[in-house]
C-alpha cells in the first residue's frame, strides 16, 4: 500500500524559524502551535463526518469505568471519531511533563523521534490511538506512528501526528501540546475536555521526521483538501 510521505529538510525548518512560523522557546525547543492552522476550515471538515459508517467491532469508552459509546468510523481516505480529550504527558521529561506533574507519567512513547528518543509531549502535537485489540486494529486501517491527524475543537483545526498508543478500550487522548494549541487545559492531572473533539486520521500518510510539526501541517492540509474533495 502506498505511503504518502512528507519530509521537511533542515533548511526548510531553519527558514520557518527565521520567519517566525515555527517559534522556539528560550531553551531552543519548539513551542506548541496555535490553532487554527492552514486554510481548511473546521466547518468544511466536520461537514464530511456528520454520519458514521462504523469500522470498529464495537465501541470505545472515553474513560475507564464509563460506558462504551464511541465508534471508529470510516470515510474515503480517513478514519475518524468524536470523543473527549485526555492529556498524554508521556515521553521526554520536561518542565510540564514529568513524575511530579503527571501521576501516570511514563518516560516513553510508542513511537520515537528520528534520533530514537521518545516524543516530547510538551511541544509536539500528537494523538494517542488505542492499542490493537478485537475492537479495532489501527495498523490494518493504514494508521501508524507518524500518520497525520486533523484535530477539530471549537471551530479550530490543528494538525498532529499519531504519536502514542493507549488502553485497548479507551479512546480520546492527545499530547500536552495539542491541548494547549486548541485552548484546552493541558494539565495532565486535571486538564482535558469531556467532549466535543473530532479526530480525523488520514490513512496511509506519514510525516518524516515524526517530530516535525511543520511537515505535519503541510501534509495535513493537503490531505484535508483531498478528503473534502473526495467525500
Amino acid at each position: 500500500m502506498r505511503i504518502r510521505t512528507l519530509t521537511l529538510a533542515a533548511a526548510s525548518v531553519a527558514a520557518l524559524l527565521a520567519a517566525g512560523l515555527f517559534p522556539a522557546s528560550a531553551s531552543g525547543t519548539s513551542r506548541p502551535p496555535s490553532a487554527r492552522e492552514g486554510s481548511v476550515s473546521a466547518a468544511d471538515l466536520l461537514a464530511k463526518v456528520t454520519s458514521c459508517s462504523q469500522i470498529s467491532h464495537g465501541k470505545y469508552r472515553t474513560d475507564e469505568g464509563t460506558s462504551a459509546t464511541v465508534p471508529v468510523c470510516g470515510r474515503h481516505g480517513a478514519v475518524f471519531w468524536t470523543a473527549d480529550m485526555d492529556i498524554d504527558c508521556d515521553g521526554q521529561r520536561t518542565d510540564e511533563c514529568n513524575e511530579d506533574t503527571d501521576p501516570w507519567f511514563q518516560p516513553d512513547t510508542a513511537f520515537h523521534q528520528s534520533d530514537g528518543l521518545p516524543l516530547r509531549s510538551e511541544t509536539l502535537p500528537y494523538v494517542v490511538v488505542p492499542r490493537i485489540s478485537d475492537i479495532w486494529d489501527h495498523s490494518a486501517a493504514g494508521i501508524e506512528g507518524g500518520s497525520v491527524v486533523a484535530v477539530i475543537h471549537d471551530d479550530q483545526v490543528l494538525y498532529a501526528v499519531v504519536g502514542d498508543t493507549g488502553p485497548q478500550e479507551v479512546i480520546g487522548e492527545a499530547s500536552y501540546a495539542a491541548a494547549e494549541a486548541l485552548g484546552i487545559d493541558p494539565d495532565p492531572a486535571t486538564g482535558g475536555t469531556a467532549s466535543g473533539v473530532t479526530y480525523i486520521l488520514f490513512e496511509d500518510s506519514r510525516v518524516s521526521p515524526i517530530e516535525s510539526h511543520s511537515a505535519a501541517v503541510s501534509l495535513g492540509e493537503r490531505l484535508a483538501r483531498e478528503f473534502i474533495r473526495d467525500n
Side-chain angles (χ1 to χ4, degrees), residues 192-212:
T193 186
S195 62
V197 183
T198 297
Y199 305 81
I200 303 175
L201 293 76
F202 298 109
E203 298 171 349
D204 306 316
S205 63
R206 185 171 299 158
V207 171
S208 180
I210 190 173
E211 66 268 21
S212 173

Side-chain angles (χ1 to χ4, degrees), residues 25-27 29 31 89 91-102 105 120-123 176 186-188:
S25 68
S27 63
T29 57
R31 295 301 305 163
C89 224
Q92 295 186 46
R93 289 180 178 86
T94 64
D95 289 344
E96 304 295 345
C97 293
N98 56 66
E99 292 88 345
D100 294 328
T101 62
D102 181 1
F105 177 77
R120 186 182 173 98
S121 177
E122 185 180 332
T123 54
Y176 184 105
D187 189 292

Side-chain angles (χ1 to χ4, degrees), residues 152-189:
I152 304 165
H153 175 69
D154 280 352
D155 297 323
Q156 301 175 95
V157 179
L158 173 74
Y159 294 107
V161 292
V162 172
D164 204 359
T165 58
Q168 290 182 332
E169 297 183 352
V170 176
I171 206 165
E173 188 174 6
S175 68
Y176 184 105
E180 187 176 36
L182 289 166
I184 296 170
D185 182 356
D187 189 292

